[in-house]
Amino acid sequence: MKKEPILPESRDTTFRDQVLKTHVGEKIPTCIQCGICAGSCPVSHEMDYSPRELVRMVQLGLKKEVLSSNTIWICTTCFSCSVRCPRGIHPTELMETLKPIAIAEGIINKNAKFDNVFSSVIKNNGRASEFLLISRYSMTEPRMIKQLPFGLEMMAKGKLPLSIDRMENTRELEAIFKLGEKGESKIENKEIKEKDREKDSDKEKEKEPQETKMQENENEKVEAKK
Amino acid sequence: MTENESPRIGVYLCRCGGNIGDVVDLQAVADKLKEDKNITVNIQDYLCSSAGQDKIKNDIEKGKIDRVVIGSCSPKLHLETFRGMAKTAGLNPNLLEITNIREQASWVHDRDSKESVNSKVLGLIKGAAARMGSIEPLTPLTKELVDRTLVVGAGIAGITTALELADSHEVILIEKLPYLGGHMIGLSKTFPTLDCSQCILTPKMVAVHNNPRITMFTQTEVADVQGSPGDYSITLKHSPRYVDIKKCINCGACARKCTAGAIFLPFAQAVPQAYMIDMSKCKNCGVCVKVCPRDAINLEAKEETSTISVGAVAIATGFEPIDPSFIEEYNYPSPNILTAIDFEEMLSAKSKTGMRLQKADGTFPNRVAFVLCAGSRDFTGKGRKHCSKVCCIYSQKQAQLVKKMKEDAEAWIFYIDMRSAGRRFEEFYHHTQEKGVNYVRGKVAEIIPKTDGTLMIQYEDTNLGRKGREIFDMVVLCPALIPSKGTKEIADKLGVSLGDDGFIEEKHVKLEPVNTLNQSVFAAGCVLGPKDIHDSVTEGISAAHKVSQFLGKGMILIPPEKPQIFECNGCGECVKACPYNALALDGGKAVLSPLACTGCGICVPACPIKGIEIRNFTRGQLKAQLQGILSEAPGVLVFIDPYAYAAADIAGVNRKQYSSLIRFVSVPSIHILDADVVNAAFEYGATGVMLIEGTTDEKLTSRSDDLYKKLKKDTRKHKKPLRYSHIETAQYEKLTDLLNVFASQAGAKAEKRGRKEKGEKPEEQED
């Protein structure tokens, strides 16, 4: 990986302050780079930057690298880092804070795309279909064509069933989603009011958390279904 | 000054560089103050400088002023300085007071408008000047000191203090354990020179034992403290050893006969050299009693107490390691995961393995990991915030020992920051690197015991940004060092405050590092924070010097602010109220014994005919002060005792912000107050009144609830909030939270009342 030098022009203080102002951002300046987060993380080796590095980059305001990194999407939200951090920084929640910012900035990498496809599949069918997931994801990510032979092989062995397993009554599911969206917007409104009272925060930010929370919600629902 | 002449008060305001001057418009304050023709005002950049002091001194000497009010930093810092100056200028020291406008004003009101802070400062100074108008010149009382010192704790700090003092003073040294030496006797080699711990400590222990001026008690703790600074009567509790230390000649006949292994010498070099019995093992067969040629054993021995009289106390109760079992991911305790203290002991005089480093199965560990910061530098509330200071160096020493015992053994040190500040320590670090010790920068994430008895460590090498795993035979956790058990108890008994980390609070962090807020109590060693042997010895010597200096005066000055009995009908209510037996009825009148009196003022509200006043804190003086404080703008009055006052100062030093509506009124104790004064506060415009008590003296705190209830009842008519709170010196964060909540509540209530008075909203609920 090519490493760019850190220059004044690569540091975005507005972005840094935006993150530091959030509830989870408050403690970020106190990081001592001990690495217990990265050492505890089950997937940090797959990340572009470990949670420790991400916190450092937020401190510096390296907006582009932070938001386009796969780190924020790969996090499995196991919370090991948050539980163990001696400074009380919650990297897990930091990821959740950064995702909507990335979306709002239009930075959609393959991990973000995958998340999107996954939740829409659930929304439509109520169940995860590997075939749908892979095929739709492949459409957004042309490089997946390389995986085609492997996919065909799996199909031949019956490991990738074409039939789509649907939930019996998707109407209920839709109702749940709607309810969830309604609830989220309620919570969101409350949060916005609180934020307004505290300080006049950026208008853009208000919409962002909604989307992530929707995704989270969907994921939760999938689990509940199982 | 004659009686009918009005006082000429000199007000001196300090800009303190910009510390006060940048926040408070002192010129505006001065202009307002000058409206009172009895007051002259002067502003200085640094009042505590010789130029500043000379200005005041000149004004006094020329007769321009005869009373002084200073607006500056906390009186805790400079009251003595300024009063000393006043004394040399020929002014009674009592006629000089300091109003705290830095720690309790300019540093803590960032959120408020300048006008609001200005009006607070102006009010405070006006209040102080108003009270000063009727302050009496008093002479401190003197009491003879007892020339004997109690040193609590016989680790290296206590031993040093005792030995240094014993050159010219009598010392009583007590130790909780059955032998001297504290943690140091359980150390192997000492960094950075690698000399053996017991080799340098044993001669000192023996010297203590042989010194005729030192009386030594082991298995002894402080049970109770009576009396006052300079003259304490302390009850000691002695747990039974069952062997008479003076008779035992260490022949070992008893131990050879004991079948239960219950009688033993703690370790070969133990001082005192005497056997002891572990009653949990003893079968009470009496064989040892029979074989003892000196008749030294008494199985019937019971816990005893004795009372000693001392003038000063040195606390050297040291530290203990935190129990790392709360760190779940480290899986302590497990076989072969030990603390660094256990590691040391294994290689020390106290060793149970014949000074061999070994695993649970008795074999030598070929791969040893040292895990630093186990419970230190933790701001989550689970561990401790502070750095334990010595771990970086001792873990390297232990790593060197491993390499020395077996050259091809591996020693790994997992650290966050390698802190080797201090003379010879960086060289020690370098030397350890040369020995081939592995350093990993990264806090260990997990220690996983394997089925084969080995331990897997998972970590991130933060220098490379890569995760790693290693297998070890032994893992040594370097635990946070915390104040030893009982530190709080002894501190409370002696009226000494602790910091929020639990260590004893120094009188001044930098300038008076071994003094405490109690002038006759001193501290040394790890009870003041983790430190190495060198620093503990330095503090032991310092404490001995400070004790010697204190005792050398022969006399102790007692603040003269004592009760004065103007009128007495002989009812005896004050005698009943006094928790210190300082009042008695003599010939049908109450009489005070001033040396027993602490000046708490509890007798003041107790007197049904208001015949008692504390000198210079009379109802009239307090009321004049309150009126002055509230003359500029309404605010919240906070009556605060000296212990809680110290908390407010710490809040200031830490810049913990709170509302500028808060105005402190320093009182000797909140028990001096009655409804008369509190009602006056409300009448003069206080929107709320708080009573904040910081003393840990149970004789007072046990009565606070009643005081509060009574005041609440008696001030009900004002329908304004009154609150009581207990805040110890360390709880400054709690204090500021409380102040903010109360200020806003009082404000809201005042607003509501304002509306009600206008007839807008008649209904209001009172409790």
Side-chain angles (χ1 to χ4, degrees):
Chain A
M1 200 180 4
K2 205 178 139 202
K3 288 177 185 169
E4 299 288 337
I6 303 161
L7 300 171
E9 50 270 32
S10 50
R11 292 189 290 109
D12 184 332
T13 49
T14 325
F15 165 69
R16 182 196 63 200
D17 295 343
Q18 180 189 359
V19 179
L20 297 195
K21 244 186 259 168
T22 61
H23 177 67
V24 58
E26 214 176 27
K27 289 186 173 153
I28 285 181
T30 68
C31 175
I32 48 172
Q33 292 287 308
C34 71
I36 200 168
C37 48
S40 306
C41 180
V43 290
S44 65
H45 52 278
E46 294 290 343
M47 292 172 167
D48 296 338
Y49 307 105
S50 76
R52 175 182 60 80
E53 290 167 321
L54 198 76
V55 169
R56 177 71 193 129
M57 289 159 72
V58 168
Q59 284 179 343
L60 287 169
L62 303 179
K63 181 176 179 180
K64 213 179 105 220
E65 279 134 296
V66 167
L67 295 182
S68 50
S69 72
N70 70 5
T71 304
I72 54 179
W73 300 102
I74 277 187
C75 167
T76 64
T77 64
C78 75
F79 284 91
S80 294
C81 51
S82 299
V83 169
R84 292 176 185 174
C85 174
R87 295 300 211 205
I89 300 167
H90 289 206
T92 317
E93 285 153 41
L94 174 63
M95 313 285 176
E96 297 308 313
T97 310
L98 293 170
K99 279 182 204 169
I101 302 178
I103 293 170
E105 291 283 333
I107 304 171
I108 306 289
N109 60 14
K110 60 176 186 173
N111 307 85
K113 280 179 201 160
F114 185 84
D115 270 36
N116 251 333
V117 172
F118 185 81
S119 37
S120 75
V121 167
I122 297 299
K123 196 171 177 180
N124 293 336
N125 304 306
R127 273 170 206 166
S129 152
E130 280 165 347
F131 176 69
L132 266 187
L133 196 62
I134 296 301
S135 53
R136 285 225 213 142
Y137 177 60
S138 305
M139 281 192 263
T140 66
E141 192 59 35
R143 275 182 296 174
M144 281 294 283
I145 197 83
K146 283 189 217 158
Q147 299 284 335
L148 189 64
F150 182 59
L152 289 173
E153 207 178 316
M154 279 179 77
M155 244 189 265
K157 288 187 176 171
K159 298 282 182 192
L160 202 61
L162 288 175
S163 62
I164 294 155
D165 198 8
R166 266 174 177 274
M167 196 181 150
E168 272 172 26
N169 192 350
T170 44
R171 235 187 288 158
E172 276 180 17
L173 183 70
E174 277 160 32
I176 291 173
F177 265 93
K178 268 191 187 153
L179 213 75
E181 279 161 35
K182 233 168 123 185
E184 281 307 324
S185 64
K186 256 188 202 165
I187 294 169
E188 201 39 49
N189 283 337
K190 218 166 133 193
E191 276 181 6
I192 292 164
K193 270 181 207 158
E194 273 169 19
K195 266 181 206 159
D196 278 349
R197 216 178 304 146
E198 280 175 17
K199 250 167 210 171
D200 38 322
S201 61
D202 308 13
K203 286 270 155 59
E204 300 156 35
K205 255 170 66 188
E206 292 166 5
K207 291 175 208 154
E208 295 149 11
Q210 222 166 335
E211 288 170 54
T212 8
K213 272 175 195 153
M214 265 166 57
Q215 282 168 357
E216 266 177 51
N217 247 21
E218 282 157 18
N219 289 348
E220 274 167 33
K221 268 161 215 159
V222 173
E223 272 171 29
K225 279 273 122 60
K226 279 175 195 164
Chain B
M1 186 191 71
T2 54
E3 282 295 314
N4 47 14
E5 208 177 308
S6 58
R8 296 183 306 278
I9 300 172
V11 173
Y12 297 86
L13 303 173
C14 180
R15 287 196 193 93
C16 192
N19 279 307
I20 298 169
D22 288 351
V23 182
V24 185
D25 185 351
L26 290 179
Q27 195 53 54
V29 171
D31 292 343
K32 274 272 200 173
L33 285 169
K34 279 178 195 157
E35 288 168 12
D36 185 334
K37 63 179 171 32
N38 289 333
I39 295 179
T40 55
V41 190
N42 183 271
I43 305 174
Q44 295 277 330
D45 271 339
Y46 292 101
L47 210 50
C48 57
S49 68
S50 57
Q53 292 195 52
D54 283 349
K55 168 72 185 146
I56 308 178
K57 204 172 161 197
N58 275 334
D59 289 353
I60 297 171
E61 282 168 351
K62 282 185 188 149
K64 274 169 82 176
I65 53 162
D66 53 27
R67 274 146 206 269
V68 182
V69 170
I70 288 172
S72 67
C73 56
S74 171
K76 295 227 178 276
L77 284 175
H78 281 313
L79 186 63
E80 279 174 43
T81 317
F82 287 118
R83 284 193 167 170
M85 175 273 300
K87 204 174 168 192
T88 53
L91 186 72
N92 181 291
N94 273 103
L95 301 180
L96 183 145
E97 285 277 12
I98 289 184
T99 301
N100 187 341
I101 58 169
R102 192 178 76 172
E103 284 85 348
Q104 297 178 9
S106 72
W107 277 356
V108 286
H109 302 319
D110 279 359
R111 291 195 300 243
D112 293 83
S113 69
K114 251 190 145 158
E115 291 72 42
S116 168
V117 184
N118 267 359
S119 95
K120 164 170 172 164
V121 169
L122 179 57
L124 286 178
I125 305 267
K126 275 181 140 182
R131 174 169 164 257
M132 182 49 79
S134 62
I135 289 279
E136 298 176 74
L138 299 175
T139 318
L141 306 165
T142 57
K143 183 165 71 168
E144 246 177 77
L145 288 172
V146 177
D147 189 1
R148 193 178 299 115
T149 308
L150 172 68
V151 178
V152 188
I156 184 59
I159 287 177
T160 308
T161 311
L163 283 174
E164 295 286 328
L165 263 175
D167 278 348
S168 48
H169 299 278
E170 203 180 314
V171 178
I172 295 170
L173 175 64
I174 65 168
E175 167 58 47
K176 187 158 45 170
L177 292 178
Y179 45 86
L180 307 187
H183 277 105
M184 190 177 161
I185 199 65
L187 301 183
S188 54
K189 303 275 191 278
T190 57
F191 62 77
T193 45
L194 291 186
D195 42 359
C196 138
S197 183
Q198 53 148 318
C199 306
I200 55 177
L201 183 58
T202 312
K204 286 200 167 261
M205 301 194 304
V206 174
V208 166
H209 189 256
N210 293 340
N211 194 308
R213 284 211 190 85
I214 301 178
T215 313
M216 178 183 89
F217 296 111
T218 50
Q219 289 170 290
T220 298
E221 290 173 71
V222 171
D224 186 40
V225 178
Q226 296 290 332
S228 57
D231 182 15
Y232 282 118
S233 168
I234 295 180
T235 309
L236 302 177
K237 186 181 80 187
H238 311 276
S239 305
R241 188 186 185 105
Y242 308 102
V243 177
D244 190 329
I245 291 170
K246 289 192 186 95
K247 287 184 186 164
C248 178
I249 50 165
N250 214 15
C251 65
C254 50
R256 282 193 292 277
K257 288 286 176 196
C258 180
T259 52
I263 190 160
F264 53 90
L265 192 64
F267 50 93
Q269 299 84 353
V271 173
Q273 279 275 305
Y275 277 69
M276 60 177 286
I277 296 178
D278 179 353
M279 270 299 160
S280 65
K281 287 184 186 163
C282 177
K283 293 182 182 135
N284 227 353
C285 64
V287 170
C288 53
V289 180
K290 279 179 216 150
V291 298
C292 181
R294 298 268 294 161
D295 206 10
I297 301 171
N298 173 13
L299 295 176
E300 306 298 310
K302 293 273 172 313
E303 182 183 293
E304 287 172 22
T305 57
S306 65
T307 304
I308 54 167
S309 165
V310 294
V313 181
I315 308 177
T317 47
F319 72 94
E320 65 183 35
I322 202 167
D323 176 1
S325 57
F326 74 94
I327 314 168
E328 284 173 28
E329 58 269 28
Y330 287 178
N331 286 305
Y332 178 90
S334 297
N336 302 322
I337 303 182
L338 46 153
T339 68
I341 308 289
D342 301 332
F343 183 101
E344 288 290 342
E345 264 188 25
M346 213 186 275
L347 302 175
S348 76
K350 282 164 79 180
S351 178
K352 292 186 175 76
T353 60
M355 290 175 101
R356 265 200 322 273
L357 180 65
Q358 60 184 43
K359 296 191 292 178
D361 63 7
T363 59
F364 186 85
N366 285 312
R367 294 173 57 82
V368 184
F370 297 91
V371 177
L372 291 171
C373 308
S376 311
R377 305 183 68 187
D378 183 321
F379 284 68
T380 62
K382 287 178 282 188
R384 300 303 173 109
K385 291 179 190 168
H386 64 263
C387 162
S388 295
K389 192 172 177 180
V390 287
C391 326
C392 280
I393 308 294
Y394 78 60
S395 62
Q396 296 185 79
K397 176 205 69 188
Q398 293 178 345
Q400 279 198 32
L401 293 181
V402 171
K403 296 292 280 181
K404 205 171 169 186
M405 285 182 271
K406 198 171 176 198
E407 212 174 308
D408 62 348
E410 279 194 41
W412 289 57
I413 296 176
F414 293 88
Y415 67 98
I416 304 175
D417 297 297
M418 189 47 71
R419 294 179 168 171
S420 50
R423 192 170 175 205
R424 302 188 186 93
F425 288 176
E426 189 65 27
E427 294 89 324
F428 190 75
Y429 179 10
H430 180 240
H431 188 63
T432 316
Q433 288 177 310
E434 284 178 334
K435 291 275 174 197
V437 171
N438 284 312
Y439 289 79
V440 178
R441 195 199 171 281
K443 188 170 163 74
V444 166
E446 233 169 304
I447 303 168
I448 304 157
K450 298 286 207 185
T451 44
D452 62 355
T454 59
L455 301 155
M456 188 181 78
I457 280 189
Q458 192 177 311
Y459 65 95
E460 188 207 12
D461 184 319
T462 59
N463 288 331
L464 291 174
R466 283 158 69 172
K467 268 196 298 194
R469 276 185 221 109
E470 289 290 333
I471 304 285
F472 292 98
D473 297 328
M474 178 184 275
V475 173
V476 181
L477 302 178
C478 302
L481 304 185
I482 59 176
S484 64
K485 268 180 212 78
T487 304
K488 180 158 172 45
E489 285 74 13
I490 192 154
D492 282 353
K493 280 176 190 140
L494 290 164
V496 167
S497 32
L498 304 178
D500 58 359
D501 51 10
F503 293 104
I504 284 184
E505 197 83 348
E506 313 91 332
K507 186 172 180 197
H508 189 282
V509 185
K510 302 179 188 79
L511 303 178
E512 296 190 270
V514 297
N515 292 68
T516 70
L517 286 175
N518 179 336
Q519 57 175 323
S520 64
V521 178
F522 306 80
C526 291
V527 75
L528 290 166
K531 56 178 61 70
D532 61 10
I533 295 167
H534 171 278
D535 290 0
S536 294
V537 169
T538 309
E539 285 183 357
I541 297 170
S542 308
H545 166 69
K546 280 288 162 189
V547 171
S548 181
Q549 199 180 42
F550 172 74
L551 294 178
K553 290 177 189 153
M555 293 281 195
I556 186 166
L557 294 182
I558 297 172
E561 287 90 357
K562 302 283 178 199
Q564 195 173 14
I565 303 159
F566 293 95
E567 211 183 326
C568 183
N569 60 8
C571 71
E573 286 299 322
C574 58
V575 179
K576 265 187 262 167
C578 180
Y580 306 100
N581 302 322
L583 285 157
L585 281 180
D586 186 8
K589 300 270 178 208
V591 181
L592 177 79
S593 35
L595 293 183
C597 172
T598 64
C600 71
I602 207 162
C603 48
V604 176
C607 179
I609 56 164
K610 292 186 182 175
I612 306 181
E613 295 278 15
I614 299 286
R615 302 181 86 175
N616 287 345
F617 284 99
T618 65
R619 291 183 178 87
Q621 286 164 335
L622 279 175
K623 281 192 225 166
Q625 184 180 4
L626 303 183
Q627 193 172 18
I629 291 176
L630 295 167
S631 62
E632 286 306 308
V636 175
L637 277 184
V638 184
F639 292 100
I640 191 162
D641 79 355
Y643 297 91
Y645 192 97
D649 277 357
I650 299 174
V653 171
N654 287 294
R655 309 296 200 278
K656 291 278 165 202
Q657 304 296 312
Y658 52 88
S659 164
S660 65
L661 291 173
I662 299 291
R663 280 108 216 256
F664 289 112
V665 181
S666 182
V667 284
S669 96
I670 59 161
H671 297 272
I672 193 175
L673 300 170
D674 63 2
D676 206 8
V677 176
V678 178
N679 275 328
F682 285 134
E683 274 152 30
Y684 298 141
T687 51
V689 169
M690 279 182 106
L691 314 174
I692 297 193
E693 186 171 37
T695 179
T696 48
D697 186 346
E698 266 189 29
K699 287 174 185 147
L700 293 176
T701 53
S702 60
R703 305 181 193 205
S704 305
D705 219 27
D706 292 341
L707 170 78
Y708 170 62
K709 278 182 194 146
K710 189 166 188 317
L711 284 177
K712 183 110 187 152
K713 201 174 123 231
D714 295 346
T715 60
R716 217 188 175 94
K717 58 179 178 186
H718 292 286
K719 291 191 175 174
K720 288 183 183 178
L722 174 75
R723 204 128 310 161
Y724 162 83
S725 228
H726 190 267
I727 299 279
E728 287 181 31
T729 310
Q731 297 171 308
Y732 63 91
E733 279 172 321
K734 186 178 160 196
L735 172 69
T736 53
D737 288 348
L738 210 73
L739 293 174
N740 278 324
V741 170
F742 188 71
S744 62
Q745 280 172 356
K749 232 170 173 184
E751 203 179 299
K752 215 168 166 187
R753 204 170 33 246
R755 265 184 279 143
K756 202 174 99 182
E757 272 160 22
K758 283 179 203 158
E760 280 172 25
K761 215 177 182 186
E763 94 284 1
E764 193 191 0
Q765 293 248 312
E766 259 297 314
D767 48 324

